[in-house]
Amino acid sequence: MMRCVFIFLLLLVQLLSLQQASAERFSPSDMAAFETLPILHEGRVKPLSSFAKVLLTRFSGQDHVPHTDISASAWLAHTIFEPVKAVDTRIFKISDRDLKARLGLEVSAQRFYSLSELTDAIDRTQAQALAMTRKPREELSPEQIRMLDLHEHILVYQQLLRATSALNALPEGIKALLPFDAGARNYLEIKQQLKGRSLDRLPTEATLVLRTIERGGEKSDLFRVLPRPSSVDGKSQQDVVSIWVSPWSSLLQGVPTEIEQELMLQWAGLATAYGDGQRRAWRESLRNMHGLIAPYTKQHILAWERYYNEVEPYFWSAVFYALALVFICLWFASSGRAMFYRPAALSLGVAVFAHLGGLVVRIMILERPPVGTLYESALFVAIIMTGIATFIEWKRRDGLFLTMAALTGCLLLSFAPQLIPQADSKPVLMAVLNSGFWLGTHVLVITAGYGVAILAGCLAHGMLLLKDPDRYRPALHMILLAALSLTAIGTILGGIWADQSWGRFWGWDPKENGALLIVLWIVWLLHARLSGDLRGSAYLCVIAALNIVVALAWFGVNFLGIGLHSYGFISGVGYPLGVFILFEILVIYGLYCYSIKRVERKGIDE
């Protein structure tokens, strides 16, 4: 029996490997070196794997080619090296029926389209899309925004199709028209044969075709894979690379530098190896390219980012948070049997480790604290909450904080990607945020304050359900004091940063008011507790409402779209935020009624 199972598993692995080999021309090991080649995109140098994932996710909403197992990197290689075939790959997601009707497409269940299927529709609606670009995005309808986004995605994709057209092999008919004995294979070799002279020296037929290719390359500046170093004494080569250029930009701007020419020749060899399926030549070209590019990049960071994208630590962390939640539910249902508590604690430990590991690697990649965007702040708030709750659970071992850690970790990691509609591209921060010191002090401290405040609110929710909440009051009080300290210090540090950046310490900006609101809320409830105005269930309800206050300060003020903190503005959160607030009010009211009835029942029993 065991032998049959083993043979079945072996056949399954072989079948999967054959399917992968048929879907992707080269094996994962052959693609690894390709994926870590550097490219300048969205203001920073990143590996090609990140570049491919960002673009494919924007086009299709998925990090692989829809309805296939082809990875983003394999799709990128196919697109830049075989553009004629790539135009038939269905990667553009169109699911809106009204948009399909506007584009003149058949209204059907089909959701993904290729460029060849959309060419006529894009040509018909190009004038409409151009008119939409002249209007503020806020004035456009959702359907118009989707159509405009589609046109922008098509333009980006067309640049990608032309990315290496100067280096790809020319048609045999064009080669026959060339007077060179050596037989130039691509545009780059023709320019080298001409030694910088004009294409007009070639036969008319060849010039016409090559001019057409050149005009297409004039607007192809997306694929910036060539470093252009400047000579500065006393600095390393990594520090003096001021710009990166695309192959077409390098060729059309004049004579390429030596490193640009060498790299373009290797890219041309890579394109040939890809077209012919030559694994040895593919590996050799990649080895040469990495050797040439090494002095101009931090290759270990590129490798880290590739592994970061491949492992997806936050996905697995969310999975183990959910698994811990399942085990803790079984533990409660079985009246506290250790057989369920231990796997719950182990799952939580794995989740926190993966979560923390992902943040550490992210810090190494970006070389800054992981709190520059709302997406990152959600990840950081989640680790603050789960980390503190896990530590307290390790001390108490009663299941409450384990439940809180698993539930909040799972919810926040599931919610965080919604803050980035297309993909987490790890963009370069705006100039006002480009300060490692203030990101590591003000933003880090105030964001940690959000996490501790939410933890206090979640604990208050749990205490309203418990028969004996008094044993958690010391822990709740310490968490509240920590939240007050962090938010107050963070607010003061923010004022100092504002004074340095904008020339005033305080300006009643919505973001500033939101941070102050949390401080005032905690101060008020602590004073009300000391004065006796708030006690028992009412006191816990006010603490539970701290979640609403934090949500308003964290996301609500960004929804307003006014103030100097424009880098935090987001759209589309008004409805979800309103639903969350209403839900929290109903839950808190329900917990309050339950707590009051429990106290009354306890008094009757006594």
Side-chain angles (χ1 to χ4, degrees):
M1 180 65 182
M2 292 298 296
R3 181 177 297 180
C4 293
V5 172
F6 176 76
I7 294 175
F8 172 76
L9 291 176
L10 183 61
L11 291 174
L12 181 62
V13 170
Q14 291 179 343
L15 179 62
L16 291 175
S17 63
L18 287 174
Q19 289 179 344
Q20 182 71 12
S22 65
E24 301 184 7
R25 184 161 306 187
F26 296 101
S27 67
S29 60
D30 294 328
M31 292 299 297
F34 174 76
E35 292 174 346
T36 52
L37 288 174
I39 182 172
L40 180 67
H41 182 237
E42 296 181 332
R44 73 179 184 91
V45 177
K46 62 178 68 171
L48 282 181
S49 61
S50 292
F51 172 76
K53 186 176 181 179
V54 168
L55 289 187
L56 187 56
T57 306
R58 287 179 181 171
F59 298 159
S60 67
Q62 301 179 16
D63 60 1
H64 58 277
V65 177
H67 307 306
T68 72
D69 59 352
I70 300 177
S71 67
S73 300
W75 162 78
L76 175 65
H78 179 60
T79 302
I80 63 177
F81 294 139
E82 294 184 328
V84 176
K85 297 179 181 178
V87 295
D88 293 325
T89 305
R90 290 178 171 175
I91 56 171
F92 296 101
K93 183 178 181 180
I94 306 175
S95 54
D96 184 81
R97 297 174 62 89
D98 294 334
L99 179 57
K100 289 182 180 181
R102 181 185 285 265
L103 292 171
L105 301 174
E106 181 181 353
V107 179
S108 64
Q110 181 178 342
R111 293 193 304 155
F112 296 98
Y113 295 82
S114 65
L115 178 61
S116 58
E117 292 174 315
L118 294 175
T119 299
D120 293 340
I122 293 299
D123 290 341
R124 285 195 302 270
T125 57
Q126 187 172 7
Q128 300 177 39
L130 184 61
M132 293 175 191
T133 60
R134 303 189 184 100
K135 298 181 180 180
R137 199 172 179 89
E138 295 76 14
E139 297 181 5
L140 301 178
S141 66
E143 177 198 331
Q144 290 176 320
I145 291 176
R146 285 190 288 271
M147 189 175 82
L148 184 59
D149 288 341
L150 177 63
H151 275 264
E152 292 174 350
H153 293 164
I154 293 293
L155 290 175
V156 172
Y157 185 59
Q158 289 173 339
Q159 283 197 56
L160 197 60
L161 292 169
R162 295 190 294 263
T164 60
S165 57
L167 313 176
N168 291 341
L170 294 170
E172 292 297 330
I174 301 300
K175 295 180 184 179
L177 298 173
L178 300 177
F180 309 126
D181 295 335
R185 293 175 300 172
N186 53 49
Y187 182 91
L188 172 64
E189 293 179 349
I190 292 173
K191 294 293 288 185
Q192 288 180 320
Q193 293 277 3
L194 290 173
K195 296 180 181 180
R197 287 173 290 179
S198 172
L199 295 177
D200 295 335
R201 298 177 61 87
L202 298 177
T204 304
E205 298 89 345
T207 301
L208 179 63
V209 175
L210 292 173
R211 287 293 187 194
T212 303
I213 297 174
E214 188 178 89
R215 281 195 296 271
E218 289 176 353
K219 296 182 180 179
S220 181
D221 195 35
L222 176 67
F223 203 64
R224 300 184 180 187
V225 292
L226 307 177
R228 178 165 290 178
S230 56
S231 178
V232 179
D233 296 334
K235 291 188 176 181
S236 67
Q237 288 177 301
Q238 293 178 3
D239 296 330
V240 301
V241 175
S242 55
I243 59 173
W244 290 65
V245 296
S246 67
W248 270 115
S249 297
S250 178
L251 289 168
L252 297 177
Q253 289 174 5
V255 180
T257 63
E258 183 179 351
I259 183 63
E260 291 171 26
Q261 291 187 54
E262 292 178 352
L263 279 172
M264 278 193 286
L265 288 173
Q266 294 301 326
W267 273 103
L270 198 65
T272 301
Y274 184 90
D276 297 338
Q278 300 175 357
R279 296 181 62 181
R280 181 175 297 179
W282 172 270
R283 293 174 180 174
E284 183 66 23
S285 294
L286 287 171
R287 189 180 303 112
N288 294 336
M289 293 170 75
H290 278 284
L292 291 169
I293 210 75
Y296 306 99
T297 59
K298 298 177 180 179
Q299 292 194 305
H300 62 287
I301 292 182
L302 297 174
W304 288 343
E305 185 167 350
R306 174 182 171 269
Y307 286 122
Y308 177 91
N309 294 331
E310 200 171 80
V311 173
E312 297 182 334
Y314 306 124
F315 168 78
W316 291 110
S317 181
V319 168
F320 278 97
Y321 280 132
L323 186 61
L325 198 58
V326 171
F327 280 120
I328 202 64
C329 290
L330 293 174
W331 181 68
F332 281 121
S334 62
S335 301
R337 290 186 181 179
M339 63 178 295
F340 293 119
Y341 180 85
R342 290 174 182 173
L346 179 61
S347 299
L348 179 64
V350 173
V352 172
F353 178 80
H355 191 165
L356 183 60
L359 283 177
V360 170
V361 174
R362 191 181 185 91
I363 292 171
M364 293 179 178
I365 293 171
L366 298 177
E367 299 180 312
R368 62 169 174 79
V371 286
T373 64
L374 283 173
Y375 170 77
E376 292 177 345
S377 70
L379 298 178
F380 185 71
V381 164
I383 195 61
I384 289 294
M385 295 177 62
T386 57
I388 295 175
T390 301
F391 176 76
I392 298 175
E393 178 64 28
W394 178 66
K395 291 290 188 181
R396 304 182 67 100
R397 300 178 187 270
D398 58 6
L400 177 61
F401 284 93
L402 194 156
T403 306
M404 290 169 51
L407 182 60
T408 56
C410 185
L411 290 177
L412 279 175
L413 289 188
S414 301
F415 167 71
Q418 309 306 317
L419 298 172
I420 296 183
Q422 295 173 338
D424 175 21
S425 57
K426 307 176 192 66
V428 173
L429 301 180
M430 295 179 63
V432 70
L433 280 178
N434 193 16
S435 171
F437 174 77
W438 288 114
L439 280 176
T441 52
H442 160 62
V443 183
L444 211 61
V445 171
I446 196 71
T447 308
Y450 291 163
V452 179
I454 296 174
L455 183 62
C458 293
L459 179 56
H461 281 71
M463 290 173 64
L464 285 168
L465 280 170
L466 297 177
K467 295 180 180 179
D468 184 21
D470 292 337
R471 60 195 178 104
Y472 291 100
R473 289 188 185 275
L476 177 62
H477 188 62
M478 293 301 296
I479 294 173
L480 276 176
L481 290 177
L484 176 60
S485 300
L486 289 170
T487 51
I489 294 172
T491 302
I492 294 171
L493 291 173
I496 299 173
W497 190 7
D499 184 56
Q500 292 187 1
S501 299
W502 300 320
R504 92 287 186 280
F505 180 86
W506 193 265
W508 300 106
D509 187 90
K511 195 69 175 176
E512 297 168 348
N513 294 340
L516 181 61
L517 182 62
I518 299 175
V519 176
L520 294 178
W521 189 271
I522 299 176
V523 169
W524 165 64
L525 65 89
L526 287 176
H527 278 78
R529 170 183 171 272
L530 292 174
S531 65
D533 293 328
L534 281 176
R535 58 183 67 176
S537 298
Y539 176 64
L540 293 177
C541 287
V542 175
I543 298 176
L546 188 58
N547 286 352
I548 297 176
V549 179
V550 174
L552 290 172
W554 192 6
F555 301 107
V557 295
N558 294 318
F559 172 66
L560 298 176
I562 57 175
L564 293 175
H565 294 75
S566 59
Y567 49 81
F569 292 170
I570 52 178
S571 59
V573 301
Y575 179 74
L577 184 62
V579 170
F580 169 76
I581 292 173
L582 179 61
F583 176 77
E584 269 288 73
I585 291 174
L586 294 175
V587 168
I588 293 171
Y589 177 73
L591 291 175
Y592 176 76
C593 295
Y594 172 79
S595 178
I596 293 297
K597 289 183 178 180
R598 188 188 66 238
V599 172
E600 292 176 351
R601 192 182 305 114
K602 182 179 179 181
I604 293 174
D605 293 339
E606 292 177 352

